[in-house]
Amino acid sequence: MVFERSLNDLIKGIRSHKDDEESYINGCLLECRKEVSSQDAEIKAEAALKLAYLEMFGFDVSWASFQIIEVMASSQLSQKQRGYLAAVQSFKPTTDVLMLTTNLIKKDIMSSRVPEITIAINGLSHISTYGLARDLYQDVLILLNHSVPYIRKRTIMVLYRLCLQYPDAIPICVPKLRERLDDTDNSVVNASVSVICELARRTPKNYLEFAPDLFHLLTNSSNNWMLIKLVKLFASLTPYEPRLVKKLVPALTQIIETTHAMSLLYECINTIVSGNMLANYSHSDQLAWLCTTKLREFFLDTDQNLKYVALLSFYKLSITHQQLVAQQLDIILQCLIDSDISLRMRALDLVCQIVNAGNIVSIVKTIMLQLVTSSEDVLIEESRNVTALKLIEMTSKSTYAVVSDFEWLLTVYVDLARIPGIHVGKVLSSQIVDLCVRVKALRPFAIDLFSQMTSDPSTIFSEGKSKESFSEVLPSLLWCLGEYAEYVEDYIDVLDGLVRPASTSLPSSIQPVLIQCVPKLFCQWCVNEEAAWGPEKLGLVKLWVTRIQQFMESFVQSLDMEAQLRAVEYSIMFAQIQEILNTNDYSEILDFQQGPPYIIKNTVINLFFTESLNPVASKAQKRVLPPEGLALDTPINGAIEAPKKLKNMIDESSNIRSARETTELSIDNTPNMLQAKESGPVRDLYNPFYLNSSPSKEEDATAENDTNGFNEVTENDSLFSGSKIMKVTKKSRRRKVLASPTQGPVEIAQDEIPEGVQLSDEDQLERSKIQKEKPLISLEPTSSTLNDNDHRPETTSNTPIAPIKVKKREKNKKKSNTEIKGEKMRKKRVSKKSED
Amino acid sequence: MGIKFFLLVSRQGKVRLAKWFYAVPTKERSKIVRDVSSLVIVRKPKMCNFVEYKGEKIVYRRYASLFFICGIDQDDNELIILEVIHKFVEVLDKYFGNVCELDLIFNFEKAYYVLEELLLAGELQESSKTNVLSAVLAGDAESEVDAQQDTIQKLVGNVKKF
């Protein structure tokens, strides 16, 4: 006799094998496998129980489904219980033996022993599927009239689950449920109320007729649980029946004012707030006021949960009574800085809802304070990012509708950029630019602020984690500085701050903007103080031109392409300005004494400042009408049709070419390709290299394939190369080639050649290309044998490209390598023929 | 609508009880258990008992070394669920007599039965503690009687053989 492990032993074993739990459990699983298939019912049941336990650990026990059903069928109660428990834990809607349970459960439901019925009902509630529900709901309905209220109660609950699975049963079940509302036993009534409540949440209209009965229960019952369910139920009914509201309000008000149970109070408030009762009702303000007072009391409680649910309710309330909620700002602000993250998040959501011109300053202040003080805490980094983003969103809602003081807002953004540990740089930078562009009056202040910041080299050039966001914001600052340089007060300071040798070490996102900004500043400086023009200024200007020119030159080696490009352009431009300024022409020198040089005043400045940049709507591009006569949809070369003979030649040659190319490209598909080609000239519409005989078909084929840039080229290419093949080749030979294109050089060598075609250089080109591109093994013998006939491989690789061919290449500049190669392959074949 | 799942997790993350009220594949189950446990175990005592997980609300409460975790829908009343959890704990206490984690580990079967008496299809089916308790005890008595009858039958069968 084998000593089976009882459940206790199993548990003790697992607990003692803390280190190798997994292997121990696997061993136990194997044992269970054996035990569960044994004949002895007791052992089976014990094994089922063990499996249920192991399932809790996450192990899959679906292989034992059938055996579990056997245990379920046992007549002994404890075994049955164990079987059902295992079933409930492990059966899924996809378990295939589920249908076997139908009869089993039916039998158990009809049994005379109450516990059996209980177990069966319980199991049914967990494992019911559409099929099971459909088959069993009739039997379950019979149970509704059972003498034992315990059974009745359970039946009602399981009916809910069945109705969910099999909605067709609802019309039959609901009247029966209604009868149960008048049941003598309280728990049965309770159960039926629960079920009706849940069902009504889905389709409220069907249950409006129950309202009178339910209302009666609401006013007479003292069972809090039932009251909660009833209140919830009414919340889903009221949107459909406005008259209910009038009746409900007094009842609800009474409950709110008298009950001590917080959960009931919350439920009532929730109902009022989310049940659409506040929208049109005449006394809705009063009601809202009542709710608000009660919710305020929640905040005074030390229980964090109450604060949480109060915040949720306020959120819902603020949709209809924003002002009322905004008056509670003080307690909400307290929640904003609470140590509990859930509370903070909820408060943040709420605050975004109730923000208005009056309270935005205090809200923003609180949030910023919280962000700054929590910067050391790494755990909540994500929440800080969310907070910061919400802050930005809140202030910029509907293009800054709530903000009246933009200077303050700008300082807030800049400070936000400086707070360490949050990554909102990108959003911030676009916001700052947005602000400066949209709000003209802000520009002087903004420029003032930015120039102060840039004059201080530590803001730009310092490194470190704390400057993460700031370095993303810097480009936008520099851009604004340059764009609105006319407002700068002290140009020399700003220029000094920017034009430094350390600038070359700035990240590449900043360099181009910096390079662009400096000339703008310089131009404005020259132009704006026209009255103060004099020989000293001229001297300064000359000095600065030199300095800027050198500055630009230092960027010429930069790694960023954009920066390099601009630097080169500007260094040359400033060198020219330098030349102009250092002229020896006396008249020009006189001119320079009078005012800023023409080149700066008129030419260069127009580069930057002819038109101001305004914000563009996102749909503006769509509104732009294309110019008349421009038909975007007609194909460019659609009208061209190649003559028939040519088309045939193209087709067949392209078949071979495409076969070659596809074999070259898809190395792993060689056998397939060979087979495919050997089966005959199969036109593969999805092969991008295949051409159909008519141009329209070609267009279709090319349209279907994902373009690699080959398609238009293919068309042109074929036409082009087709023109080179002057003579019509014999179709029979071609067919042989098609049949086995990559087998040996022999077939290909049989190709005919057109007359008078320059071949030798093309040959070399083709061969050199082939060798460079490492074709398939199958191709190499062909190429080498090809070469055998006229040229040796070594010589081909060294031969230079003939100029004539270059010209032809230029015509098809867009050709890809493989296209060119294919072409050459054809020409190579052609060349072979020429040799024969 | 109703409770979606009911978990009992120790402070080290070990699952003591897992009841799922809606169909979910095994892999997802273990994933949910892992994620939710890690969310809940790191919470400090003063924090509120509600967390958000993938659009669902999670209500939890810590009793001694066990976390009782419930997953509910967005529009459900969280405070009620706290009450449900508390009811469950009270019944367990009465049934086992000063229940502790070890009791639940070694008698997980009984714990499941108590839970079944309390919740059906994700809803509270019996709000009176005494009723639940009496139902569980009655069920226990019946299965004992059954087991005794069974052994007697076996004995009789054995005797008959000789």
Side-chain angles (χ1 to χ4, degrees):
Chain A
M1 191 179 85
V2 183
F3 177 70
E4 301 96 12
R5 261 188 255 261
S6 75
L7 180 67
N8 263 335
D9 299 331
L10 174 68
I11 299 175
K12 283 188 194 149
I14 294 180
R15 281 167 73 84
S16 59
H17 284 242
K18 282 219 173 97
D19 300 325
D20 57 343
E21 226 180 61
E22 181 107 10
S23 54
Y24 183 76
I25 291 182
N26 280 330
C28 294
L29 268 173
L30 281 173
E31 277 179 20
C32 288
R33 244 183 229 269
K34 275 183 272 167
E35 287 170 16
V36 91
S37 351
S38 97
Q39 296 301 325
D40 186 10
E42 190 61 39
I43 297 177
K44 239 186 163 105
E46 189 76 25
L49 191 61
K50 280 192 265 180
L51 285 174
Y53 184 72
L54 289 174
E55 202 273 343
M56 216 162 53
F57 281 81
F59 291 90
D60 180 38
V61 295
S62 49
W63 45 266
S65 319
F66 189 70
Q67 286 89 348
I68 292 177
I69 294 187
E70 286 179 352
V71 179
M72 278 158 75
S74 148
S75 54
Q76 205 188 75
L77 209 57
S78 57
Q79 289 173 6
K80 201 190 267 287
Q81 250 184 342
R82 289 176 184 176
Y84 268 96
L85 178 64
V88 154
Q89 295 291 97
S90 59
F91 279 12
K92 313 243 175 6
T94 49
T95 308
D96 34 6
V97 295
L98 214 51
M99 62 187 108
L100 292 174
T101 57
T102 324
N103 270 331
L104 187 60
I105 297 179
K106 209 177 216 166
K107 201 174 64 129
D108 281 332
I109 289 180
M110 291 303 132
S111 137
S112 53
R113 294 162 63 186
V114 169
E116 272 188 20
I117 307 179
T118 325
I119 297 170
I121 293 183
N122 204 10
L124 180 58
S125 79
H126 281 279
I127 59 175
S128 71
T129 59
Y130 180 80
L132 272 177
R134 185 191 53 210
D135 295 332
L136 289 173
Y137 83 94
Q138 302 278 11
D139 304 285
V140 172
L141 274 175
I142 298 173
L143 275 180
L144 264 182
N145 299 323
H146 201 277
S147 48
V148 180
Y150 179 74
I151 301 285
R152 289 208 296 272
K153 172 189 72 177
R154 292 195 146 219
T155 319
I156 295 173
M157 308 291 317
V158 92
L159 267 180
Y160 169 58
R161 188 37 73 94
L162 294 179
C163 286
L164 280 183
Q165 300 278 354
Y166 183 61
D168 295 337
I170 294 182
I172 309 174
C173 295
V174 166
K176 301 261 168 112
L177 279 176
R178 195 175 177 173
E179 286 170 28
R180 289 297 121 223
L181 275 178
D182 308 317
D183 198 289
T184 45
D185 189 72
N186 254 342
S187 35
V188 178
V189 177
N190 210 344
S192 40
V193 165
S194 284
V195 172
I196 293 178
C197 167
E198 292 304 323
L199 284 175
R201 287 240 282 230
R202 290 160 174 270
T203 49
K205 287 207 176 127
N206 301 346
Y207 301 91
L208 283 175
E209 51 191 17
F210 288 20
D213 299 325
L214 297 168
F215 190 74
H216 176 76
L217 281 169
L218 179 69
T219 40
N220 294 348
S221 164
S222 57
N223 184 349
N224 275 351
W225 297 92
M226 189 150 74
L227 282 175
I228 289 174
K229 285 281 170 185
L230 282 169
V231 169
K232 208 180 199 174
L233 172 58
F234 278 120
S236 43
L237 288 180
T238 42
Y240 294 88
E241 184 58 70
R243 293 172 296 174
L244 258 180
V245 179
K246 287 216 182 100
K247 267 196 157 179
L248 268 177
V249 168
L252 280 177
T253 327
Q254 216 219 348
I255 297 177
I256 291 178
E257 283 168 355
T258 51
T259 187
H260 294 295
M262 284 296 165
S263 32
L264 182 55
L265 180 58
Y266 173 57
E267 191 67 49
C268 292
I269 295 178
N270 214 3
T271 305
I272 294 180
V273 165
S274 47
N276 218 12
M277 288 198 197
L278 293 175
N280 307 318
Y281 185 54
S282 54
H283 293 298
S284 58
D285 285 334
Q286 221 180 25
L287 208 54
W289 178 247
L290 177 64
C291 293
T292 321
T293 4
K294 286 287 166 182
L295 284 174
R296 241 199 119 90
E297 285 170 23
F298 275 19
F299 282 101
L300 300 172
D301 204 302
T302 49
D303 189 356
Q304 298 279 72
N305 301 329
L306 290 177
K307 292 188 192 163
Y308 187 88
V309 294
L311 284 173
L312 281 180
S313 303
F314 269 143
Y315 185 82
K316 291 184 195 153
L317 192 58
S318 65
I319 299 171
T320 46
H321 285 81
Q322 201 191 29
Q323 283 287 43
L324 199 56
V325 181
Q327 287 171 8
Q328 320 300 327
L329 190 66
D330 48 342
I331 37 176
I332 299 175
L333 284 182
Q334 271 184 4
C335 290
L336 261 180
I337 52 177
D338 199 282
S339 52
D340 187 345
I341 190 172
S342 318
L343 276 183
R344 280 209 301 272
M345 288 290 120
R346 288 287 83 76
L348 196 61
D349 284 336
L350 177 57
V351 161
C352 289
Q353 279 281 100
I354 61 167
V355 73
N356 60 32
N359 55 26
I360 186 165
V361 179
S362 38
I363 293 175
V364 169
K365 220 193 268 180
T366 328
I367 298 180
M368 293 287 284
L369 204 67
Q370 201 264 327
L371 279 174
V372 168
T373 47
S374 66
S375 44
E376 302 85 32
D377 201 344
V378 185
L379 277 175
I380 53 169
E381 191 172 306
E382 195 179 312
S383 75
R384 293 182 72 223
N385 278 345
V386 169
T387 318
L389 282 171
K390 271 245 146 82
L391 174 67
I392 298 172
E393 192 193 308
M394 181 169 63
T395 47
S396 60
K397 237 181 353 179
S398 43
T399 53
Y400 314 103
V402 291
V403 178
S404 48
D405 188 358
F406 283 98
E407 295 178 8
W408 162 80
L409 185 61
L410 190 63
T411 26
V412 164
Y413 281 163
V414 171
D415 288 336
L416 199 57
R418 284 189 159 139
I419 296 178
I422 42 178
H423 308 283
V424 286
K426 285 218 170 62
V427 182
L428 267 182
S429 66
S430 55
Q431 286 294 102
I432 291 178
V433 170
D434 201 43
L435 265 183
C436 288
V437 168
R438 281 183 201 269
V439 187
K440 250 184 160 173
L442 181 60
R443 289 177 198 168
F445 174 78
I447 298 297
D448 211 19
L449 181 63
F450 297 158
S451 47
Q452 270 176 23
M453 282 173 19
T454 45
S455 315
D456 178 16
S458 63
T459 53
I460 311 183
F461 296 107
S462 67
E463 288 174 38
K465 212 170 171 233
S466 61
K467 302 291 179 187
E468 263 172 26
S469 271
F470 193 71
S471 57
E472 284 182 5
V473 169
L474 199 53
S476 61
L477 296 189
L478 291 173
W479 183 84
C480 290
L481 254 183
E483 189 68 14
Y484 306 114
E486 46 197 337
Y487 300 107
V488 173
E489 300 268 329
D490 200 347
Y491 288 92
I492 304 283
D493 270 347
V494 178
L495 277 173
D496 218 11
L498 295 176
V499 177
R500 281 166 180 269
S503 304
T504 45
S505 61
L506 283 173
S508 44
S509 56
I510 304 184
Q511 282 179 12
V513 191
L514 178 61
I515 292 172
Q516 194 75 352
C517 165
V518 168
K520 288 184 186 176
L521 277 169
F522 173 74
C523 293
Q524 287 286 17
W525 172 56
C526 291
V527 169
N528 267 8
E529 295 176 48
E530 229 173 296
W533 189 264
E536 303 128 15
K537 183 142 182 205
L538 183 60
L540 266 179
V541 166
K542 281 193 192 164
L543 200 66
W544 270 102
V545 169
T546 328
R547 210 169 144 187
I548 293 177
Q549 203 271 332
Q550 282 168 359
F551 177 68
M552 293 302 174
E553 277 217 27
S554 65
F555 279 98
V556 166
Q557 303 285 334
S558 151
L559 290 171
D560 182 54
M561 295 313 298
E562 180 87 21
Q564 240 188 50
L565 180 68
R566 296 189 189 197
V568 165
E569 288 172 355
Y570 283 129
S571 73
I572 295 177
M573 183 164 82
F574 274 88
Q576 284 194 335
I577 299 178
Q578 205 175 21
E579 251 185 56
I580 293 175
L581 284 177
N582 294 338
T583 180
N584 290 325
D585 191 343
Y586 191 60
S587 61
E588 285 187 13
I589 296 178
L590 270 180
D591 271 337
F592 290 158
Q593 308 277 9
Q594 308 291 331
Y598 182 80
I599 182 168
I600 299 178
K601 188 163 72 164
N602 294 61
T603 321
V604 176
I605 215 170
N606 284 344
L607 272 182
F608 304 128
F609 299 109
T610 7
E611 283 181 19
S612 61
L613 293 171
N614 292 326
V616 180
S618 52
K619 298 200 182 146
Q621 182 64 45
K622 278 193 193 161
R623 306 254 177 92
V624 174
L625 299 168
E628 282 186 34
L630 177 67
L632 289 170
D633 296 323
T634 52
I636 295 177
N637 277 333
I640 300 175
E641 266 212 41
K644 234 187 177 173
K645 263 193 204 170
L646 211 55
K647 272 189 237 171
N648 291 340
M649 284 198 292
I650 296 163
D651 287 340
E652 299 184 17
S653 65
S654 71
N655 286 349
I656 305 164
R657 174 174 64 99
S658 57
R660 242 166 228 242
E661 279 170 330
T662 44
T663 43
E664 279 166 11
L665 287 176
S666 56
I667 296 176
D668 0 2
N669 290 344
T670 329
N672 299 341
M673 277 300 157
L674 282 173
Q675 283 168 2
K677 294 299 163 271
E678 276 169 343
S679 60
V682 173
R683 297 289 155 97
D684 187 352
L685 277 176
Y686 299 101
N687 190 326
F689 308 108
Y690 260 105
L691 292 174
N692 288 326
S693 39
S694 64
S696 57
K697 271 199 212 163
E698 272 168 359
E699 278 171 26
D700 288 352
T702 53
E704 281 165 349
N705 304 327
D706 52 342
T707 60
N708 300 332
F710 287 177
N711 298 329
E712 308 83 35
V713 179
T714 316
E715 214 176 337
N716 295 337
D717 197 6
S718 61
L719 293 172
F720 214 79
S721 43
S723 62
K724 290 205 179 100
I725 303 169
M726 301 300 187
K727 241 189 192 174
V728 179
T729 59
K730 286 190 186 164
K731 288 199 181 173
S732 53
R733 279 198 194 153
R734 292 244 175 213
R735 289 249 169 71
K736 261 198 218 163
V737 172
L738 282 170
S740 46
T742 53
Q743 261 178 15
V746 183
E747 289 86 342
I748 299 169
Q750 281 172 4
D751 265 0
E752 296 151 21
I753 48 141
E755 291 172 31
V757 175
Q758 289 276 342
L759 290 170
S760 52
D761 291 335
E762 283 166 314
D763 251 349
Q764 292 157 3
L765 246 179
E766 287 163 38
R767 279 181 213 133
S768 60
K769 280 271 177 176
I770 292 166
Q771 274 150 10
K772 268 187 226 160
E773 298 214 29
K774 277 207 183 121
L776 285 178
I777 315 164
S778 55
L779 277 175
E780 268 169 31
T782 60
S783 54
S784 53
T785 46
L786 268 175
N787 295 337
D788 277 344
N789 286 344
D790 27 319
H791 305 272
R792 278 176 317 243
E794 307 87 87
T795 54
T796 56
S797 48
N798 297 332
T799 45
I801 299 172
I804 314 164
K805 300 307 151 228
V806 171
K807 242 198 270 172
K808 284 186 184 149
R809 289 295 156 269
E810 276 167 23
K811 280 192 194 174
N812 298 3
K813 249 187 208 165
K814 288 181 204 157
K815 271 194 208 172
S816 66
N817 254 350
T818 40
E819 283 296 329
I820 301 172
K821 197 162 137 198
E823 212 184 294
K824 284 171 211 137
M825 291 301 298
R826 244 178 298 115
K827 287 178 215 126
K828 195 200 329 187
R829 268 182 275 109
V830 164
S831 75
K832 281 284 100 239
K833 265 286 104 173
S834 69
E835 255 55 60
D836 292 349
Chain B
M1 9 104 257
I3 303 179
K4 293 206 158 142
F5 56 85
F6 196 103
L7 303 171
L8 254 72
V9 181
S10 78
R11 276 205 55 200
Q12 286 80 31
K14 291 228 164 97
V15 177
R16 299 294 172 212
L17 205 92
K19 195 98 172 144
W20 300 83
F21 292 102
Y22 72 121
V24 117
T26 325
K27 266 198 184 155
E28 246 199 74
R29 278 189 194 182
S30 29
K31 183 172 180 302
I32 292 181
V33 167
R34 263 201 321 265
D35 290 341
V36 170
S37 321
S38 52
L39 264 181
V40 163
I41 290 175
V42 294
R43 303 276 287 178
K44 302 210 191 85
K46 293 277 180 158
M47 296 179 137
C48 75
N49 298 75
F50 314 123
V51 249
E52 292 257 332
Y53 171 69
K54 282 194 186 166
E56 281 178 359
K57 292 194 207 176
I58 308 282
V59 180
Y60 76 94
R61 200 163 231 171
R62 187 174 156 203
Y63 289 89
S65 57
L66 273 181
F67 285 93
F68 286 70
I69 305 173
C70 269
I72 55 175
D73 246 346
Q74 277 291 344
D75 35 349
D76 273 340
N77 186 346
E78 301 93 337
L79 298 175
I80 285 289
I81 306 295
L82 277 178
E83 301 282 337
V84 169
I85 296 178
H86 193 65
K87 252 211 184 357
F88 180 52
V89 173
E90 283 183 334
V91 175
L92 281 178
D93 200 36
K94 277 255 168 71
Y95 182 71
F96 285 107
N98 248 342
V99 68
C100 64
E101 195 180 337
L102 275 178
D103 283 330
L104 292 178
I105 295 173
F106 280 103
N107 298 309
F108 79 102
E109 201 183 328
K110 306 265 169 57
Y112 270 113
Y113 297 149
V114 173
L115 190 59
E116 273 166 19
E117 289 295 327
L118 195 66
L119 294 171
L120 193 63
E123 299 288 330
L124 186 77
Q125 59 161 325
E126 183 58 66
S127 54
S128 148
K129 266 185 316 200
T130 34
N131 283 359
V132 172
L133 209 51
S134 48
V136 174
L137 289 171
D140 272 353
E142 283 254 10
S143 37
E144 282 236 8
V145 164
D146 230 24
Q148 277 174 2
Q149 277 185 353
D150 210 45
T151 38
I152 291 174
Q153 271 181 359
K154 270 197 188 149
L155 279 174
V156 168
N158 282 343
V159 164
K160 275 195 181 158
K161 270 191 208 164
F162 296 113

